[in-house]
Amino acid sequence: MSAESLHKSAVVLLETWQPPTDSDRALTVALLAFLDSAPRGCLREYAPGHITASALVFSHDEREVLLTLHPRVGLWIQLGGHCEEFDETVSDAALREAIEESGIPGLELDPGLYGVQAHSITCSLGVPTRHLDLLFRIRAPKGAEPVHSAESTDLRWWPVDALPKDAEVPLRG
């Protein structure tokens, strides 16, 4: 577990992913170039930007998605956050973040990458930076009830076809 294992996992995920759109392909190329120049680019300490691990948590029947009203961003977004040096891979970080932020045990991570995003943000570093999200699809067990934590203003299930107006969630059909 180290910055090196996180970096390697991010590169493998991006190199093996089949982006569904031209914009996803372009961002994937940019993320790989970023990682080529930033050996510690998976850690929040890298102020110009850093890879983050995002989790699209779906209900067991995939009719709903769990969103957080993020206190810093002020929008409904997917769960997720920073990779830590104790995470072996970026997918491990996404699952850890999903469990921490949802309070739901028994989440199941789908293998492979679901998507990519890039956001300008002032995160816990306290300076403007970029979050370079690697997104993972995660399924909750039947009857899962999220537990609100201090990491969000609100946390709730939303029907995938009726997301809030201010949601920034990259759902694919």
Side-chain angles (χ1 to χ4, degrees), residues 4 13 18 36 44 55 60 68 114 125-126 135 148 154 171:
E4 292 80 23
L13 284 163
Q18 299 296 312
D36 191 45
R44 84 176 83 206
H60 77 285
T68 180
Y114 180 83
L125 287 175
L135 289 97
H148 184 260
D154 198 356
L171 295 180

Side-chain angles (χ1 to χ4, degrees), residues 3 6 25 47 54 56 90 92 111 115 125 142 158-159 167:
L6 284 164
R25 279 188 283 286
S54 288
L56 286 165
V90 179
D92 290 344
L125 287 175
K142 187 174 183 175
W158 291 90

Side-chain angles (χ1 to χ4, degrees), residues 68-69 101-103 145-156:
T68 180
L69 182 56
E101 292 184 12
S102 72
E145 290 295 330
V147 178
H148 184 260
S149 74
E151 294 196 41
S152 67
T153 302
D154 198 356
L155 180 70
R156 68 174 87 153

